[in-house]
Amino acid sequence: MASSDRNPGSPGIATTNDRPVYVIGAGPGGLAAAAALRARGVRAVVLEKSDQVGASWRAHYDRLHLHTTRALSGLPGLKMPRSFGRWVSRDDVVRYLEKYVDHHELEIVTGVEVSRVDRTPDGSAWLLHASGGRELTGSAVVVATGHNHTPHLPAWPHSASYKGELLHAADYRNPTPFQGKDVLVVGVGNTGAEIAADLASGGASRVRLAVRTPPYILRRTTAGWPAQRTGILVRRLPVGLVDRAGDVVCRLSVPDLSAQGLPRPTRGLYSRVNEGAIPVQDVGLIAAIRAGEVEPVTALDSFDAATGEALLADGSRLAPDVIIAATGYRRSLEGLVGHLGVLDAQGRPTVHGPRTSPQAPALHFTGFTNPISGMFREMALDAERIARAVARAPRHR
């Protein structure tokens, strides 16, 4: 009989005979799911391709803090310590994830990358194809590889002619390398907005922010009330109602920046959320724009093939020293599960949390949405729901 290596630090694991639930990814979503499963008596093995848990969080820029409150960001079975403060830093998130593994005695196997998930020949379980030629058989699978998996850099025409430094926001850590430089940040999601503010306060000689669609900007708190709590309250309300209420709140709490080049959005807040555009939580952008330290400009469309200049949507030309593309990420699930018919045209899972597709029973996804109620909170809720669904299955009763 094949044995199962239960040593979290072991580099080799054989095909198991007890068919645990395999969780792919040791970020917050994967760890939460594993802990919730373990609490229900279901063995869960977390497979992580890097050598540490929370790899994506370790790689984020230095000044990053959760945009959700500490009290509403804890994962199942362990609250975040009060010492972390209301807005938890990147480093404290990593510390929390490490503590979470120890607290729940989770079974983590690092250095193992899963490349493909298939049904077993008899259709009774899942077969995971992993690095090193491993084939692992699991009763169920939870895919938690992350909403921000693979950096996306647009294929701007003639970008090879650009003579400056072009990098994705995933490679940005802090403003020190860009002191005294002219920087163009492309993209005004939360990452682009925060990097622009960071550069402005960190010594860049000039910071411009390329905007295609004006975002909704929300104060992180209003009179002590966090925006996340509002997001939780309105999440189930009609879209049109939330759009109207959101417009009123934004007009009352956020100054009109049209004169500085950033007009108010014309499409409703919740309508934009349903399209995947999360509101920008203000952590310094408003003040930087009003002070002229960050200059909004129109979207980057292409580059001049002869001069290498950046060509903007309004026809203007820029020659910045550095371009930082805060242009998002891809989930990159196609190779892993694309052949199973569980992804939509944009590569997103068609089902989420406890639900599974009829053609892929016991294949769960978590962490692939970005709700206004807070990603950590939703991953925690998803984990409990997934655990209940898995524990109810006949093979785990």
Side-chain angles (χ1 to χ4, degrees):
M1 295 178 64
S3 64
S4 172
D5 190 334
R6 294 175 182 255
N7 180 358
S10 173
I13 46 180
T15 302
T16 62
N17 63 333
D18 57 345
R19 294 187 174 182
V21 175
Y22 281 110
V23 180
I24 306 174
L31 298 181
L37 286 163
R38 191 178 190 282
R40 291 181 175 270
V42 178
R43 184 185 173 212
V45 179
V46 182
L47 305 176
E48 168 58 42
K49 68 177 182 179
S50 73
D51 60 355
Q52 295 174 301
V53 302
S56 63
W57 271 91
R58 297 174 192 273
H60 285 314
Y61 49 92
D62 295 348
R63 71 171 274 171
L64 178 64
H65 286 66
L66 284 179
H67 292 158
T68 54
T69 66
R70 170 188 50 79
L72 296 174
S73 300
L75 302 178
L78 184 66
K79 293 181 179 179
M80 289 188 171
R82 283 182 172 272
S83 60
F84 285 0
R86 194 177 198 187
W87 310 106
V88 183
S89 71
R90 177 203 64 183
D91 291 346
D92 281 338
V93 169
V94 171
R95 292 187 187 98
Y96 172 71
L97 296 180
E98 292 172 339
K99 175 65 176 178
Y100 195 80
V101 171
D102 293 338
H103 178 80
H104 288 292
E105 298 181 337
L106 300 183
E107 192 170 351
I108 313 292
V109 184
T110 59
V112 175
E113 182 173 8
V114 180
S115 57
R116 183 180 172 96
V117 176
D118 285 309
R119 294 295 284 170
T120 54
D122 63 2
S124 66
W126 289 102
L127 181 65
L128 285 69
H129 304 272
S131 52
R134 301 174 180 89
E135 291 188 345
L136 312 172
T137 305
S139 59
V141 174
V142 180
V143 180
T145 50
H147 188 271
N148 296 340
H149 185 273
T150 305
H152 170 65
L153 195 64
W156 289 297
H158 310 299
S159 60
S161 66
Y162 174 58
K163 296 177 174 58
E165 180 184 3
L166 173 61
L167 67 152
H168 191 274
D171 297 315
Y172 177 88
R173 295 295 174 269
N174 58 64
T176 301
F178 310 102
Q179 290 176 353
K181 294 186 178 181
D182 180 345
V183 185
L184 173 67
V185 180
V186 180
V188 69
N190 277 293
T191 297
E194 189 157 0
I195 288 176
D198 197 30
L199 288 164
S201 63
S205 64
R206 188 173 190 179
V207 181
R208 284 172 284 200
L209 181 60
V211 180
R212 185 171 299 279
T213 304
Y216 268 93
I217 303 176
L218 300 176
R219 299 288 189 185
R220 194 161 60 172
T221 60
T222 301
W225 179 264
Q228 181 191 6
R229 288 197 178 274
T230 302
I232 293 170
L233 292 174
V234 307
R235 192 178 180 199
R236 306 297 181 188
L237 295 179
V239 172
L241 176 62
V242 180
D243 280 350
R244 291 191 292 274
D247 186 62
V248 171
V249 170
C250 287
R251 289 181 181 277
L252 290 175
S253 61
V254 176
D256 186 356
L257 301 173
S258 299
Q260 288 79 32
L262 189 62
R264 292 191 184 277
T266 57
R267 189 148 168 72
L269 184 152
Y270 207 19
S271 295
R272 295 285 310 280
V273 168
N274 288 337
E275 296 167 354
I278 298 299
V280 172
Q281 298 266 355
D282 179 47
V283 288
L285 180 66
I286 292 174
I289 290 176
R290 296 184 78 182
E293 297 169 353
V294 172
E295 307 166 50
V297 296
T298 57
L300 173 61
D301 274 352
S302 63
F303 292 85
D304 187 299
T307 66
E309 292 174 299
L311 306 180
L312 304 186
D314 63 358
S316 59
R317 294 168 172 260
L318 303 178
D321 300 314
V322 182
I323 296 176
I324 299 175
T327 46
Y329 295 79
R330 296 291 182 262
R331 297 164 187 85
S332 299
L333 292 170
E334 289 79 4
L336 186 68
V337 296
H339 57 289
L340 299 173
V342 295
L343 304 179
D344 64 15
Q346 286 73 46
R348 301 170 300 195
T350 55
V351 294
H352 204 265
R355 296 173 53 224
T356 61
S357 295
Q359 68 270 30
L363 177 64
H364 298 269
F365 295 87
T366 184
F368 294 97
T369 61
N370 195 7
I372 57 175
S373 50
M375 184 177 283
F376 269 59
R377 178 180 182 273
E378 294 303 319
M379 287 190 293
L381 295 173
D382 263 352
E384 300 283 12
R385 295 167 184 149
I386 290 170
R388 283 197 297 269
V390 170
R392 282 199 301 262
R395 59 190 171 275
H396 289 297
R397 286 177 187 162

